[in-house]
Amino acid sequence: MNVAVLSRNPSLYSTQSIVLALRKRHHRVRVLDHMQCDLIVDSKNMEVRYDGYRLHDIDAIIPRIGASATKYGAAVIRQFEAMGIPTTVPSEALMKSRDKLRCLQLLAGAGIEVPISAFTNNLSVLNSLLNRVGSMPVILKLLVSTQGMGVLKADDKQQANSMMEAFQRLQQDALVQEFIEEVQGADIRIFIVDGEIVASMERQAMPGEFRSNLHLGASSTPIKITQEEADYALRAIDLIGLKVAGIDILRSKRGPLVLEVNASPGLEGIETTTGIDIASRIVASVERTIDEKSD
Protein backbone atom coordinates (compact mmCIF):
# COMPACT_ATOMS: atom_id res chain seq x y z
CA MET A 1 0.00 0.00 0.00
CA ASN A 2 1.29 3.45 -0.96
CA VAL A 3 0.10 6.12 1.50
CA ALA A 4 0.59 9.89 1.51
CA VAL A 5 0.54 11.66 4.89
CA LEU A 6 -0.45 15.29 4.44
CA SER A 7 1.53 17.27 6.99
CA ARG A 8 3.36 20.59 7.01
CA ASN A 9 5.98 19.32 9.44
CA PRO A 10 7.38 15.78 9.04
CA SER A 11 9.13 16.02 12.43
CA LEU A 12 5.91 16.42 14.46
CA TYR A 13 5.19 13.56 16.87
CA SER A 14 1.82 12.70 15.28
CA THR A 15 3.27 12.61 11.76
CA GLN A 16 6.25 10.54 12.85
CA SER A 17 4.03 8.12 14.77
CA ILE A 18 1.85 7.48 11.72
CA VAL A 19 4.87 7.14 9.40
CA LEU A 20 6.47 4.62 11.77
CA ALA A 21 3.23 2.63 12.04
CA LEU A 22 2.95 2.48 8.24
CA ARG A 23 6.54 1.31 7.82
CA LYS A 24 6.17 -1.30 10.56
CA ARG A 25 3.30 -2.76 8.54
CA HIS A 26 5.49 -2.71 5.40
CA HIS A 27 3.68 0.08 3.57
CA ARG A 28 5.31 2.74 1.45
CA VAL A 29 4.78 6.24 2.83
CA ARG A 30 5.54 9.78 1.75
CA VAL A 31 4.97 12.94 3.79
CA LEU A 32 3.60 15.76 1.63
CA ASP A 33 3.17 19.40 2.61
CA HIS A 34 -0.42 20.03 1.52
CA MET A 35 0.30 23.74 1.08
CA GLN A 36 2.79 22.77 -1.64
CA CYS A 37 0.31 20.61 -3.55
CA ASP A 38 -0.89 22.01 -6.89
CA LEU A 39 -4.31 20.99 -8.17
CA ILE A 40 -5.26 20.50 -11.81
CA VAL A 41 -9.03 20.37 -12.28
CA ASP A 42 -9.86 18.67 -15.56
CA SER A 43 -12.86 16.44 -16.23
CA LYS A 44 -10.66 14.12 -18.27
CA ASN A 45 -7.65 14.01 -15.94
CA MET A 46 -7.74 15.30 -12.37
CA GLU A 47 -4.23 15.79 -11.00
CA VAL A 48 -2.33 16.62 -7.83
CA ARG A 49 1.18 17.88 -8.49
CA TYR A 50 4.02 18.18 -6.01
CA ASP A 51 7.33 19.88 -6.71
CA GLY A 52 6.23 20.11 -10.32
CA TYR A 53 5.58 16.38 -10.69
CA ARG A 54 2.25 14.61 -10.99
CA LEU A 55 1.50 12.35 -8.03
CA HIS A 56 0.46 8.84 -8.97
CA ASP A 57 0.04 5.36 -7.46
CA ILE A 58 -1.29 6.74 -4.16
CA ASP A 59 -3.70 4.29 -2.53
CA ALA A 60 -4.84 6.46 0.39
CA ILE A 61 -4.12 9.70 2.23
CA ILE A 62 -3.92 10.44 5.96
CA PRO A 63 -4.41 14.20 6.36
CA ARG A 64 -2.91 16.11 9.29
CA ILE A 65 -4.32 19.55 8.52
CA GLY A 66 -3.63 22.41 10.94
CA ALA A 67 -6.20 25.12 11.64
CA SER A 68 -4.26 27.78 9.72
CA ALA A 69 -4.38 25.66 6.55
CA THR A 70 -7.95 24.35 6.78
CA LYS A 71 -9.35 25.86 3.57
CA TYR A 72 -6.43 24.91 1.32
CA GLY A 73 -6.02 21.57 3.04
CA ALA A 74 -9.69 20.76 2.47
CA ALA A 75 -9.29 21.65 -1.22
CA VAL A 76 -6.37 19.22 -1.51
CA ILE A 77 -8.34 16.45 0.21
CA ARG A 78 -11.31 17.19 -2.07
CA GLN A 79 -9.06 16.75 -5.10
CA PHE A 80 -7.90 13.34 -3.91
CA GLU A 81 -11.54 12.40 -3.21
CA ALA A 82 -12.47 13.39 -6.78
CA MET A 83 -9.71 11.07 -7.96
CA GLY A 84 -11.25 8.19 -5.99
CA ILE A 85 -8.49 8.04 -3.37
CA PRO A 86 -9.68 7.20 0.17
CA THR A 87 -8.96 9.56 3.06
CA THR A 88 -9.18 9.22 6.82
CA VAL A 89 -10.49 12.80 7.00
CA PRO A 90 -13.17 13.72 4.41
CA SER A 91 -12.95 17.32 3.21
CA GLU A 92 -16.53 18.18 4.20
CA ALA A 93 -16.09 16.70 7.67
CA LEU A 94 -12.91 18.74 8.16
CA MET A 95 -14.79 21.95 7.32
CA LYS A 96 -17.69 21.05 9.62
CA SER A 97 -15.45 20.33 12.58
CA ARG A 98 -13.23 23.40 12.16
CA ASP A 99 -16.14 25.88 12.21
CA LYS A 100 -16.97 25.78 15.91
CA LEU A 101 -20.42 27.34 15.51
CA ARG A 102 -21.42 25.02 12.67
CA CYS A 103 -20.22 22.01 14.65
CA LEU A 104 -22.20 23.04 17.74
CA GLN A 105 -25.29 23.68 15.61
CA LEU A 106 -25.11 20.18 14.13
CA LEU A 107 -24.60 18.55 17.53
CA ALA A 108 -27.28 20.52 19.38
CA GLY A 109 -29.72 20.09 16.49
CA ALA A 110 -29.35 16.33 16.89
CA GLY A 111 -30.05 16.48 20.61
CA ILE A 112 -26.45 16.15 21.81
CA GLU A 113 -25.85 18.33 24.87
CA VAL A 114 -23.32 21.17 24.34
CA PRO A 115 -22.38 24.26 26.35
CA ILE A 116 -24.96 27.03 25.78
CA SER A 117 -23.52 29.32 23.12
CA ALA A 118 -24.53 32.52 21.33
CA PHE A 119 -23.39 34.24 18.14
CA THR A 120 -24.21 37.74 16.93
CA ASN A 121 -23.05 40.46 14.59
CA ASN A 122 -24.88 43.11 16.63
CA LEU A 123 -23.02 44.23 19.75
CA SER A 124 -26.02 46.26 20.93
CA VAL A 125 -27.73 43.00 21.95
CA LEU A 126 -24.65 41.41 23.52
CA ASN A 127 -25.75 42.04 27.12
CA SER A 128 -29.05 40.26 26.57
CA LEU A 129 -27.21 37.34 24.96
CA LEU A 130 -24.86 37.18 27.94
CA ASN A 131 -27.91 36.87 30.20
CA ARG A 132 -29.24 34.07 28.00
CA VAL A 133 -25.97 32.15 28.05
CA GLY A 134 -25.75 32.30 31.82
CA SER A 135 -24.02 34.05 34.68
CA MET A 136 -20.57 35.56 34.39
CA PRO A 137 -17.84 34.65 33.66
CA VAL A 138 -18.26 33.50 30.06
CA ILE A 139 -15.95 32.13 27.39
CA LEU A 140 -15.29 34.00 24.16
CA LYS A 141 -14.08 31.73 21.38
CA LEU A 142 -12.97 32.42 17.82
CA LEU A 143 -14.93 30.30 15.35
CA VAL A 144 -11.69 28.99 13.86
CA SER A 145 -9.04 28.25 16.47
CA THR A 146 -7.05 25.35 17.88
CA GLN A 147 -4.94 24.30 20.89
CA GLY A 148 -6.64 26.89 23.11
CA MET A 149 -5.58 29.84 20.99
CA GLY A 150 -8.37 32.40 20.50
CA VAL A 151 -10.19 31.20 23.62
CA LEU A 152 -10.60 33.85 26.33
CA LYS A 153 -12.51 34.20 29.60
CA ALA A 154 -14.45 37.38 30.36
CA ASP A 155 -15.12 37.89 34.05
CA ASP A 156 -17.79 40.60 33.65
CA LYS A 157 -20.01 42.13 30.97
CA GLN A 158 -17.78 45.14 30.43
CA GLN A 159 -14.82 42.89 29.72
CA ALA A 160 -16.93 40.71 27.41
CA ASN A 161 -18.07 43.77 25.45
CA SER A 162 -14.50 45.05 25.11
CA MET A 163 -13.26 41.69 23.88
CA MET A 164 -16.07 41.32 21.34
CA GLU A 165 -15.46 44.84 20.05
CA ALA A 166 -11.80 43.97 19.59
CA PHE A 167 -12.71 40.78 17.69
CA GLN A 168 -15.03 42.75 15.40
CA ARG A 169 -12.39 45.38 14.70
CA LEU A 170 -10.05 42.57 13.69
CA GLN A 171 -12.85 41.08 11.55
CA GLN A 172 -12.76 37.88 13.56
CA ASP A 173 -16.01 36.02 14.25
CA ALA A 174 -16.39 34.77 17.80
CA LEU A 175 -19.06 33.09 19.86
CA VAL A 176 -20.02 33.53 23.51
CA GLN A 177 -20.18 30.32 25.52
CA GLU A 178 -21.15 29.49 29.08
CA PHE A 179 -18.32 28.87 31.50
CA ILE A 180 -18.70 25.47 33.18
CA GLU A 181 -17.15 26.33 36.53
CA GLU A 182 -17.65 22.97 38.22
CA VAL A 183 -15.24 21.15 35.88
CA GLN A 184 -12.40 23.22 37.39
CA GLY A 185 -10.28 23.24 34.25
CA ALA A 186 -10.71 19.55 33.41
CA ASP A 187 -12.06 17.87 30.31
CA ILE A 188 -12.07 14.41 28.74
CA ARG A 189 -10.52 13.58 25.37
CA ILE A 190 -12.03 10.51 23.69
CA PHE A 191 -10.21 9.12 20.65
CA ILE A 192 -12.26 7.25 18.06
CA VAL A 193 -11.11 5.23 15.04
CA ASP A 194 -13.62 3.61 12.68
CA GLY A 195 -16.53 3.94 15.08
CA GLU A 196 -14.60 2.40 17.99
CA ILE A 197 -13.42 4.21 21.10
CA VAL A 198 -9.74 3.29 21.31
CA ALA A 199 -8.52 5.56 24.14
CA SER A 200 -9.64 8.20 26.61
CA MET A 201 -7.88 10.52 29.03
CA GLU A 202 -8.69 13.32 31.42
CA ARG A 203 -6.79 16.59 31.01
CA GLN A 204 -6.39 18.95 33.95
CA ALA A 205 -5.40 22.56 33.44
CA MET A 206 -2.64 24.17 35.46
CA PRO A 207 -3.69 26.15 38.57
CA GLY A 208 -5.10 29.51 37.49
CA GLU A 209 -5.66 28.31 33.89
CA PHE A 210 -9.09 27.29 32.55
CA ARG A 211 -7.84 25.79 29.26
CA SER A 212 -6.91 22.11 29.51
CA ASN A 213 -4.65 21.91 26.45
CA LEU A 214 -1.55 19.84 27.13
CA HIS A 215 0.76 22.24 25.30
CA LEU A 216 -0.36 24.93 27.78
CA GLY A 217 0.97 22.83 30.66
CA ALA A 218 -2.08 20.70 31.50
CA SER A 219 -1.56 17.23 32.97
CA SER A 220 -3.27 14.07 31.74
CA THR A 221 -4.28 10.68 33.12
CA PRO A 222 -6.09 7.66 31.61
CA ILE A 223 -9.76 7.56 32.53
CA LYS A 224 -12.78 5.31 32.18
CA ILE A 225 -15.73 7.00 30.51
CA THR A 226 -19.42 6.45 31.15
CA GLN A 227 -21.79 4.87 28.67
CA GLU A 228 -23.50 8.23 28.16
CA GLU A 229 -20.16 9.88 27.36
CA ALA A 230 -19.32 7.07 24.93
CA ASP A 231 -22.70 7.39 23.22
CA TYR A 232 -22.33 11.16 22.82
CA ALA A 233 -18.82 10.79 21.39
CA LEU A 234 -19.87 8.13 18.86
CA ARG A 235 -22.94 10.10 17.81
CA ALA A 236 -20.86 13.26 17.42
CA ILE A 237 -18.28 11.67 15.13
CA ASP A 238 -21.05 10.09 13.05
CA LEU A 239 -22.84 13.44 12.66
CA ILE A 240 -19.70 15.25 11.51
CA GLY A 241 -18.72 12.39 9.22
CA LEU A 242 -15.26 11.53 10.56
CA LYS A 243 -13.55 8.13 10.77
CA VAL A 244 -10.74 9.36 13.02
CA ALA A 245 -11.39 12.08 15.61
CA GLY A 246 -10.86 13.33 19.13
CA ILE A 247 -14.00 14.32 21.03
CA ASP A 248 -13.69 16.71 23.98
CA ILE A 249 -16.31 16.38 26.71
CA LEU A 250 -17.00 18.33 29.93
CA ARG A 251 -18.51 16.61 32.98
CA SER A 252 -20.99 19.25 34.04
CA LYS A 253 -23.67 19.22 36.76
CA ARG A 254 -26.30 18.55 34.11
CA GLY A 255 -24.34 15.71 32.52
CA PRO A 256 -21.75 15.37 29.75
CA LEU A 257 -21.39 18.29 27.32
CA VAL A 258 -19.61 17.88 23.99
CA LEU A 259 -17.21 20.79 23.76
CA GLU A 260 -15.45 20.11 20.48
CA VAL A 261 -14.85 17.62 17.66
CA ASN A 262 -11.23 17.50 16.47
CA ALA A 263 -10.54 16.28 12.93
CA SER A 264 -6.74 16.17 13.34
CA PRO A 265 -6.24 15.38 17.02
CA GLY A 266 -2.68 15.15 18.26
CA LEU A 267 -1.36 11.70 19.12
CA GLU A 268 1.48 12.52 21.50
CA GLY A 269 -0.59 13.32 24.57
CA ILE A 270 -3.01 10.42 24.35
CA GLU A 271 -0.46 7.81 23.23
CA THR A 272 2.00 8.68 25.99
CA THR A 273 -0.77 8.96 28.60
CA THR A 274 -2.58 5.71 27.78
CA GLY A 275 0.25 3.66 26.26
CA ILE A 276 -2.03 2.77 23.33
CA ASP A 277 -0.55 2.70 19.82
CA ILE A 278 -3.27 4.78 18.17
CA ALA A 279 -1.24 5.38 15.00
CA SER A 280 -1.37 1.65 14.24
CA ARG A 281 -5.15 1.70 14.74
CA ILE A 282 -5.36 4.49 12.14
CA VAL A 283 -3.21 2.50 9.70
CA ALA A 284 -5.38 -0.58 10.25
CA SER A 285 -8.42 1.56 9.40
CA VAL A 286 -6.79 2.58 6.12
CA GLU A 287 -5.99 -1.05 5.34
CA ARG A 288 -9.63 -2.04 5.88
CA THR A 289 -10.79 0.77 3.59
CA ILE A 290 -8.43 -0.35 0.82
CA ASP A 291 -9.51 -3.99 1.22
CA GLU A 292 -13.19 -3.00 1.00
CA LYS A 293 -12.47 -0.91 -2.08
CA SER A 294 -10.74 -3.88 -3.74
CA ASP A 295 -13.66 -6.28 -3.13
Side-chain angles (χ1 to χ4, degrees), residues 2-3 23 47 56 97 132 159 171 174 198 204 213 253:
N2 191 6
V3 179
R23 288 176 176 162
E47 294 181 41
H56 58 87
S97 66
R132 175 62 179 86
Q159 194 175 44
Q171 297 183 326
V198 298
Q204 177 63 57
N213 305 83
K253 291 177 180 177

Side-chain angles (χ1 to χ4, degrees), residues 25-92:
R25 297 167 82 99
H26 308 293
H27 300 303
R28 290 173 293 170
V29 56
R30 183 178 179 186
V31 179
L32 304 175
D33 182 349
H34 37 280
M35 296 302 291
Q36 300 301 317
C37 289
D38 304 312
L39 313 179
I40 306 297
V41 181
D42 180 346
S43 60
K44 295 182 178 62
N45 188 15
M46 300 284 280
E47 294 181 41
V48 177
R49 293 188 178 185
Y50 196 77
D51 288 338
Y53 295 95
R54 177 178 176 270
L55 296 175
H56 58 87
D57 296 332
I58 294 178
D59 298 308
I61 60 171
I62 301 177
R64 300 290 309 171
I65 310 295
S68 62
T70 298
K71 189 174 181 180
Y72 198 91
V76 174
I77 296 171
R78 198 176 302 117
Q79 186 84 354
F80 280 110
E81 289 172 326
M83 296 163 61
I85 296 173
T87 174
T88 56
V89 182
S91 57
E92 182 63 19

Side-chain angles (χ1 to χ4, degrees), residues 100-154:
K100 297 187 185 302
L101 177 61
R102 183 181 182 189
C103 186
L104 289 171
Q105 288 171 323
L106 290 169
L107 297 176
I112 294 175
E113 293 290 337
V114 300
I116 299 171
S117 307
F119 180 69
T120 183
N121 193 45
N122 182 6
L123 289 182
S124 67
V125 302
L126 182 58
N127 284 337
S128 65
L129 291 181
L130 291 172
N131 292 334
R132 175 62 179 86
V133 166
S135 60
M136 303 300 293
V138 295
I139 300 298
L140 302 182
K141 187 179 293 187
L142 292 179
L143 292 192
V144 180
S145 62
T146 187
Q147 296 184 325
M149 300 296 105
V151 180
L152 304 171
K153 184 172 73 167

Side-chain angles (χ1 to χ4, degrees), residues 163-221:
M163 289 178 177
M164 288 297 285
E165 286 175 6
F167 283 144
Q168 285 204 352
R169 283 197 299 270
L170 295 170
Q171 297 183 326
Q172 295 287 329
D173 291 327
L175 57 82
V176 180
Q177 193 169 78
E178 68 173 317
F179 178 62
I180 311 298
E181 186 173 8
E182 62 266 24
V183 303
Q184 297 183 328
D187 73 359
I188 295 170
R189 163 64 59 89
I190 300 172
F191 210 107
I192 299 174
V193 179
D194 262 1
E196 178 187 356
I197 294 172
V198 298
S200 56
M201 66 178 177
E202 182 179 51
R203 303 181 298 187
Q204 177 63 57
M206 293 180 64
E209 174 62 73
F210 69 94
R211 295 168 298 180
S212 58
N213 305 83
L214 295 181
H215 85 286
L216 294 177
S219 59
S220 60
T221 54

